[in-house]
Amino acid sequence: VVVRMLLGETPERRELTGVKVLAPYFALAAAAREGSLAAFTRVVESHGAVFARDGLSHLVARLRRNVIRSGVRRVALAYTRISLADVASKIGLEGSSSDVASVVAKVIRDGGEGMEEAYIDHASGCLCSRGAPNVYGTRSPAAQFHDRTMFLMDVHNEALRAMRFPAKAGDDGETEEQRRERRLAESELATAIAEEDDDDFL
């Protein structure tokens, strides 16, 4: 679980719930997902013995950077412009403004979702980003609607075509002589079955 979080994945809740042994890792994943250093520190302090027993305390300590990255990304998606002091208070980052600026700059340089157009305005000491992307400002919804409409139109046209041109009766490649022989065999079979039924009835 810890290695997956170090690789940038966040385990789903259903993978970690219900198993008592994984409760500390569930709390760790929740803190990493939230992006709060205060919550991360609380989890590390309360479950430090478990992490040490499992031999993962060193890896858990390295997760701090991922928690900071997650917190800065969440803030960048939520705000289009926010001061670096507010960023530090929201994710629980301590240090001088230059330290906070360097940490945020590293997260921006690492990139990721929501950080494509983020930058630091050093004159005002703010983190600026485009915030959550406006999907309706793109052609994506129209393209999806078009694809769905075309699929439904194809289904409709196929249904109309099937109703309009039913299969012709007797269009199975059978000649007139073969058809006569088949009908004769069917009538002989029906007569034989009827005679057997009459014999059984008596």
Side-chain angles (χ1 to χ4, degrees):
V1 175
V2 177
V3 173
R4 285 175 58 193
M5 287 192 287
L6 281 171
L7 291 172
E9 296 177 32
T10 304
E12 294 184 22
R13 290 184 175 137
R14 62 183 160 89
E15 295 176 19
L16 302 173
T17 53
V19 182
K20 188 176 180 182
V21 177
L22 295 177
Y25 298 100
F26 176 76
L28 192 67
R33 187 180 298 114
E34 184 182 335
S36 169
L37 278 175
F40 175 75
T41 305
R42 280 194 305 272
V43 170
V44 169
E45 288 174 356
S46 61
H47 300 292
V50 175
F51 299 142
R53 184 192 68 214
D54 293 343
L56 297 172
S57 55
H58 180 66
L59 292 177
V60 169
R62 292 183 64 188
L63 271 178
R64 183 177 188 276
R65 185 178 55 179
N66 289 34
V67 173
I68 293 170
R69 186 180 304 138
S70 175
V72 171
R73 282 185 184 148
R74 285 176 61 113
V75 169
L77 283 172
Y79 298 94
T80 54
R81 186 177 185 86
I82 185 170
S83 70
L84 292 176
D86 290 340
V87 171
S89 68
K90 288 198 177 296
I91 64 174
L93 192 61
E94 297 174 357
S96 66
S97 60
S98 62
D99 292 341
V100 173
S102 65
V103 168
V104 171
K106 183 165 178 13
V107 172
I108 291 172
R109 189 187 71 215
D110 290 345
E113 180 186 352
M115 302 303 291
E116 296 87 6
E117 295 179 20
Y119 63 94
I120 297 175
D121 182 4
H122 291 286
S124 60
C126 292
L127 169 64
C128 302
S129 69
R130 63 186 173 101
N134 181 11
V135 176
Y136 295 105
T138 65
R139 294 202 33 84
S140 177
Q144 289 179 0
F145 183 71
H146 176 73
D147 291 344
R148 291 177 185 167
T149 305
M150 292 308 296
F151 172 75
L152 291 174
M153 290 301 294
D154 288 343
V155 169
H156 178 262
N157 291 338
E158 288 295 323
L160 285 179
R161 211 172 290 127
M163 290 187 317
R164 192 178 302 151
F165 304 110
K168 293 180 183 175
D171 191 21
D172 51 2
E174 188 175 59
T175 64
E176 187 65 36
E177 185 179 327
Q178 292 171 336
R179 188 176 304 117
R180 203 171 326 133
E181 289 175 5
R182 180 179 51 81
R183 288 183 181 161
L184 182 63
E186 288 174 357
S187 66
E188 289 174 1
L189 181 63
T191 309
I193 291 173
E195 288 175 0
E196 286 179 12
D197 288 345
D198 290 341
D199 291 342
D200 290 342
F201 190 66
L202 294 174

